[in-house]
Amino acid sequence: MAKFYGKLKGLITLSESKPILPLRKQKWNEIVCLLQGKEKCIPYWYYIIVSHEKINDLRSKPIGETIDYTTFGCVIQYKNDRNEIVSMSGWGTDPPRSLKLWFNKHFNDDSIDENTQCNYDCDDIRLCTIQRIVFNQLIGIKRFYHKQDDFHYLILSDKSDELSLAYRSGIKNFDRFIYLNGINIEHETLDEITQRFNNQLNLPLQILVCSPATYHYYKTNNIHLHSHLPTVQHLKPVFDISLTKENPTISTKSFLNEIFYVVQLETNNMISIVCQSSIFKSPEFIHINDICFIEIENCYQRGQIKYKGLQDQCENFLKQLSNNTINEYTHDCTSQDNILLSQTNTLSNKIIPNNKSELEDLPNELLFDIFNYLTIEDLDHAFNNLNSRFNNLLLSIYNMLFIFDDNPNFFLIKSYGFKIAHLIIDTSNECNLKEFSNLNSLILYNRDLNHIKQICPQMLPNLVNLSFLLESDFQLPIQLINGIFSNKFPCLRYVNLGLIDKPYSNSWLISPSIKYVSIRCKNSMIISDILLSCPNLNHFQLNILCNSDRNNINLSSIFIHSLKRFTLWSDEIELSYDLIDNLLSYIPNIQRLYLQTKCQISFIDLAQNLINRLHYLSHFSCFITELIMKNHRIDSLNNIHKISSCFNRIQCIEENENFRIFATD
């Protein structure tokens, strides 16, 4: 009987179809489970998708208990090579190996668990800092990639090991991985990230992570995640103390009491003397030229070890360095960045006497440049009432930046409101734009109609930059759109307007000042309206959201726009070649083009047509999915590169039987 069953199974395997396309995308807050049981005493298996809310209930069921899987989720379905819809279930104890391989390619390991908070309440963004002691030291994380939603996430290697560097630094299971040592890795492959770790084995690590709920909130609302957000938690650096304990021949107490270091900070090249307790690394592993994290005035900064010794030895080294640098400065003024030496002794606050440049020695022009990078809060806290010179400088600034958040400082608004040129509104709390009569730049991160209603020429006559970084489905009032493209804001040059659903141009006038426009649209007819309204437009960013029966633009056959830079993309739909060619026929002077879409024609034909249409094209970037079966492809990457030098950066980053993806680095 067993022999007969084996032959029957072999015949079934030979005749079974191949899965081609999953019919349902796995979401970030869903978990895929393999259920194994019996139906009428015969082994049976199911692959089902379970929501986060129900995974606890499913896993709490005792082994052997009869359950109705439909109460927890749905069986995964796919289309096979016969164009049939098939469920991922079958007889036997396990799925076939070929189906397992296909499943692993199209579905993810768990990117959350039953302990994950999936509801967004507030930001949970952490900058975690790890000081490795030896170059091959493991930090205790595993890296994973979510195929459907295109994000990287981390899992602690050993949940029970609470002494691991990753756990102590503040990394949590399923944290979304965003930055490594200041580099955004969201669009890199796992191999590229591994290479970054390997290339920086001797350096400390700064890893920016956030919770799954925070990541989903930011991406849904098209908000950029980075380490300079005000809600980022800068956690204290950690290093491995266990290696120190393994070396009893070195007296740690002696190091802590006697050894000091001269360090140079990376952020501003300042040089300071610090004690051992300020450096996040065991003393026996610290060497000259090492990069370490250093605590200075409750801030954690990367710095290089320049000298190691007793306190008086470090002071003598610093004096000698200062004198040498100043002598060099008298012969070469271009080296002035190297003579800004710190006066701070972290342990004793002792002032080190030497001939050095002071902040007050800088000319007013350079100080004004520095002030441009500071918010009002920073300027007021650091320089107000410091002395008469800085008071006069503050009175002379009319280009200040202010972030209006959930806790705005109304005293500063009252004192400096007429000097604020750049305003960022990141709250739904009431903000009266009348307080900012000198406003040049306005950026809204929060959806609030009261703020938008105040945006009018009478209130903001000097507006130059206007950006709405709001939800993807948010649309501005028609009156505001008409005002922008009818020269009601005569100084306006840069606009990021989000979604514009339909043309409003019946009453539009010429807006000669507008140089940059970024929009999302569902109807490409709006393109012609914007080109006609903005004859001096230099850069146009256009995201087309869906196909439309009116996906052609209609302009006069003699209309030619002088646009030099164009960014055109669609994340989901195919932009037809006819639409692209029709549009480019009115903007033939393009020099820089970015194109992202799916296409039914061969990429080499698309590239050749672009060159024939755009005679001034010098820089081309793309992310294009060519929807042509493998046996119908006749071109190669080398042939594409030969068309024009602006195509030399194009690479084929993914290829299978059904499609190829071409992208630039």
Side-chain angles (χ1 to χ4, degrees):
M1 187 66 183
K3 186 175 181 181
F4 171 77
Y5 176 75
K7 290 183 178 180
L8 177 62
K9 184 176 180 182
L11 291 173
I12 293 174
T13 303
L14 288 174
S15 63
E16 67 183 9
S17 60
K18 296 180 181 180
I20 299 298
L21 179 70
L23 296 184
R24 190 183 184 285
K25 178 181 176 181
Q26 178 190 0
K27 300 177 182 177
W28 71 274
N29 57 353
E30 293 178 329
I31 297 173
V32 177
C33 297
L34 174 62
L35 298 185
Q36 297 166 307
K38 293 184 178 180
E39 289 190 11
K40 299 180 181 180
C41 300
I42 301 176
Y44 208 84
W45 56 267
Y46 299 88
Y47 272 117
I48 70 170
I49 293 180
V50 184
S51 66
H52 171 264
E53 294 81 7
K54 295 182 179 180
I55 190 62
N56 256 343
D57 295 336
L58 177 61
R59 289 176 174 170
S60 65
K61 295 294 182 182
I63 296 177
E65 179 179 335
T66 300
I67 64 172
D68 180 4
Y69 68 84
T70 59
T71 62
F72 299 101
C74 60
V75 174
I76 297 174
Q77 293 183 317
Y78 61 85
K79 271 192 176 182
N80 62 17
D81 53 0
R82 302 169 187 169
N83 206 30
E84 301 169 331
I85 297 178
V86 184
S87 297
M88 292 194 70
S89 60
W91 300 106
T93 56
D94 288 300
R97 181 175 180 274
S98 60
L99 193 60
K100 283 184 177 179
L101 293 174
W102 181 85
F103 170 84
N104 291 334
K105 184 178 179 181
H106 291 86
F107 293 88
N108 295 287
D109 297 320
D110 296 350
S111 65
I112 56 172
D113 64 10
E114 61 272 19
N115 301 313
T116 304
Q117 171 58 258
C118 290
N119 296 323
Y120 174 80
D121 295 321
C122 60
D123 283 0
D124 180 13
I125 312 172
R126 284 158 275 123
L127 186 64
C128 303
T129 301
I130 297 173
Q131 178 73 62
R132 286 183 287 195
I133 291 182
V134 292
F135 74 93
N136 59 350
Q137 185 174 16
L138 299 178
I139 64 175
I141 57 171
K142 296 179 181 178
R143 303 185 298 278
F144 294 87
Y145 175 70
H146 196 282
K147 306 178 187 71
Q148 279 73 33
D149 287 331
D150 191 27
F151 62 77
H152 296 275
Y153 60 100
L154 305 175
I155 296 180
L156 298 175
S157 300
D158 189 349
K159 295 181 181 180
S160 63
D161 184 8
E162 296 187 356
L163 292 178
S164 73
L165 288 171
Y167 179 89
R168 290 171 49 224
S169 71
I171 295 174
K172 303 175 184 177
N173 273 322
F174 304 108
D175 271 345
R176 297 339 187 201
F177 185 14
I178 307 166
Y179 275 78
L180 173 64
N181 282 356
I183 303 297
N184 187 293
I185 53 81
E186 290 181 273
H187 300 296
E188 296 189 348
T189 65
L190 285 172
D191 289 340
E192 289 171 334
I193 296 174
T194 299
Q195 189 62 41
R196 286 198 182 278
F197 274 97
N198 293 339
N199 289 342
Q200 303 183 40
L201 287 175
N202 295 316
L203 298 177
L205 300 175
Q206 274 196 321
I207 301 175
L208 185 70
V209 296
C210 70
S211 66
T214 300
Y215 188 86
H216 180 68
Y217 172 81
Y218 270 73
K219 294 303 176 181
T220 302
N221 292 284
N222 292 324
I223 305 175
H224 179 49
L225 270 164
H226 55 84
S227 59
H228 299 296
L229 291 169
T231 54
V232 173
Q233 306 171 54
H234 294 257
L235 303 184
K236 186 174 182 178
V238 298
F239 68 93
D240 193 349
I241 58 175
S242 63
L243 294 179
T244 304
K245 296 176 181 178
E246 293 175 1
N247 193 344
T249 61
I250 298 178
S251 172
T252 303
K253 181 178 180 181
S254 173
F255 271 99
L256 293 177
N257 288 338
E258 298 180 4
I259 298 300
F260 290 79
Y261 301 87
V262 177
V263 298
Q264 184 172 22
L265 304 180
E266 285 190 354
T267 54
N268 52 15
N269 287 331
M270 301 288 281
I271 299 179
S272 301
I273 296 177
V274 299
C275 60
Q276 169 60 44
S277 61
S278 299
I279 299 181
F280 291 90
K281 195 172 184 180
S282 294
E284 61 268 35
F285 294 100
I286 299 178
H287 305 94
I288 303 301
N289 295 325
D290 278 358
I291 304 295
C292 301
F293 272 95
I294 301 157
E295 181 179 10
I296 293 184
E297 296 180 352
N298 296 321
C299 295
Y300 313 114
Q301 304 182 50
R302 282 163 55 111
Q304 187 176 35
I305 306 298
K306 309 298 288 185
Y307 185 81
K308 176 179 179 181
L310 300 178
Q311 184 174 0
D312 58 345
Q313 293 174 327
C314 290
E315 291 179 359
N316 290 333
F317 175 84
L318 189 56
K319 291 178 183 179
Q320 182 179 0
L321 179 63
S322 175
N323 291 332
N324 290 341
T325 308
I326 291 175
N327 289 335
E328 182 180 338
Y329 171 74
T330 60
H331 294 89
D332 184 4
C333 293
T334 62
S335 64
Q336 62 178 337
D337 289 341
N338 296 323
I339 65 169
L340 297 175
L341 304 178
S342 171
Q343 303 176 54
T344 306
N345 182 317
T346 304
L347 182 66
S348 63
N349 293 324
K350 177 179 179 181
I351 302 298
I352 304 173
N354 51 58
N355 298 322
K356 52 193 170 294
S357 294
E358 305 282 353
L359 180 64
E360 294 184 4
D361 294 336
L362 298 177
N364 290 348
E365 292 78 10
L366 186 54
L367 288 173
F368 282 132
D369 287 339
I370 294 172
F371 292 167
N372 285 334
Y373 293 93
L374 303 178
T375 63
I376 290 179
E377 291 89 341
D378 296 330
L379 288 170
D380 186 76
H381 179 72
F383 300 108
N384 192 22
N385 292 326
L386 186 63
N387 56 43
S388 59
R389 181 196 179 199
F390 281 100
N391 286 343
N392 291 330
L393 289 176
L394 291 180
L395 291 174
S396 304
I397 302 175
Y398 284 88
N399 195 33
M400 291 183 172
L401 166 66
F402 185 72
I403 300 176
F404 195 99
D405 54 21
D406 289 329
N407 297 296
N409 189 325
F410 290 101
F411 174 78
L412 291 179
I413 295 176
K414 185 176 181 180
S415 301
Y416 297 101
F418 65 99
K419 296 177 175 293
I420 294 172
H422 310 285
L423 177 64
I424 298 174
I425 301 179
D426 193 10
T427 181
S428 58
N429 289 343
E430 184 176 354
C431 175
N432 187 357
L433 295 184
K434 289 182 179 179
E435 303 278 355
F436 310 98
S437 57
N438 188 41
L439 207 58
N440 295 140
S441 173
L442 176 61
I443 300 175
L444 281 81
Y445 279 98
N446 199 289
R447 178 177 185 159
D448 189 279
L449 292 178
N450 289 328
H451 297 152
I452 295 173
K453 288 179 181 178
Q454 297 182 65
I455 302 174
C456 61
Q458 297 77 18
M459 189 84 73
L460 305 171
N462 302 316
L463 200 59
V464 174
N465 180 5
L466 179 60
S467 296
F468 299 91
L469 307 181
L470 306 175
E471 297 93 333
S472 58
D473 61 341
F474 179 76
Q475 298 182 46
L476 292 175
I478 293 177
Q479 296 83 351
L480 181 56
I481 295 293
N482 288 338
I484 290 171
F485 291 109
S486 295
N487 204 31
K488 296 295 180 61
F489 297 85
C491 298
L492 195 60
R493 299 184 64 185
Y494 310 96
V495 290
N496 185 345
L497 303 178
L499 176 61
I500 297 182
D501 191 27
K502 59 183 178 180
Y504 308 109
S505 66
N506 292 336
S507 60
W508 283 4
L509 303 176
I510 299 297
S511 299
S513 64
I514 295 182
K515 302 290 187 182
Y516 169 92
V517 172
S518 177
I519 65 165
R520 300 189 298 274
C521 74
K522 297 180 181 178
N523 184 348
S524 58
M525 294 290 290
I526 193 70
I527 301 171
S528 59
D529 301 326
I530 292 177
L531 291 176
L532 288 169
S533 175
C534 307
N536 297 318
L537 189 64
N538 185 60
H539 186 185
F540 191 11
Q541 288 197 356
L542 177 65
N543 181 8
I544 298 181
L545 301 178
C546 64
N547 282 315
S548 170
D549 294 335
R550 294 174 293 176
N551 254 354
N552 286 309
I553 66 171
N554 296 309
L555 290 167
S556 167
S557 59
I558 61 172
F559 177 83
I560 298 296
H561 197 284
S562 60
L563 188 71
K564 296 296 190 296
R565 184 172 181 180
F566 188 40
T567 301
L568 175 66
W569 83 98
S570 179
D571 295 323
E572 300 294 336
I573 68 168
E574 174 192 353
L575 300 178
S576 68
Y577 170 72
D578 290 339
L579 169 64
I580 297 173
D581 187 63
N582 175 236
L583 174 58
L584 295 181
S585 66
Y586 299 106
I587 48 176
N589 298 308
I590 294 295
Q591 298 175 3
R592 298 174 64 90
L593 174 65
Y594 174 83
L595 183 60
Q596 178 175 322
T597 183
K598 301 173 183 177
C599 65
Q600 299 284 350
I601 68 171
S602 68
F603 184 84
I604 195 168
D605 288 341
L606 176 64
Q608 187 63 61
N609 290 334
L610 290 177
I611 288 298
N612 293 338
R613 176 67 73 182
L614 304 175
H615 301 296
Y616 301 101
L617 187 64
S618 60
H619 189 279
F620 178 73
S621 301
C622 69
F623 188 93
I624 296 178
T625 303
E626 178 195 66
L627 301 175
I628 296 180
M629 301 295 290
K630 187 173 184 178
N631 56 352
H632 292 152
R633 301 170 194 157
I634 58 174
D635 56 295
S636 67
L637 198 59
N638 287 334
N639 292 334
I640 295 172
H641 291 166
K642 291 177 182 178
I643 296 175
S644 170
S645 60
C646 65
F647 295 144
N648 288 342
R649 296 164 46 246
I650 297 174
Q651 300 295 327
C652 182
I653 64 172
E654 185 174 348
E655 181 174 7
N656 58 32
E657 295 291 333
N658 301 311
F659 65 84
R660 290 186 295 182
I661 297 179
F662 293 94
T664 45
D665 48 24

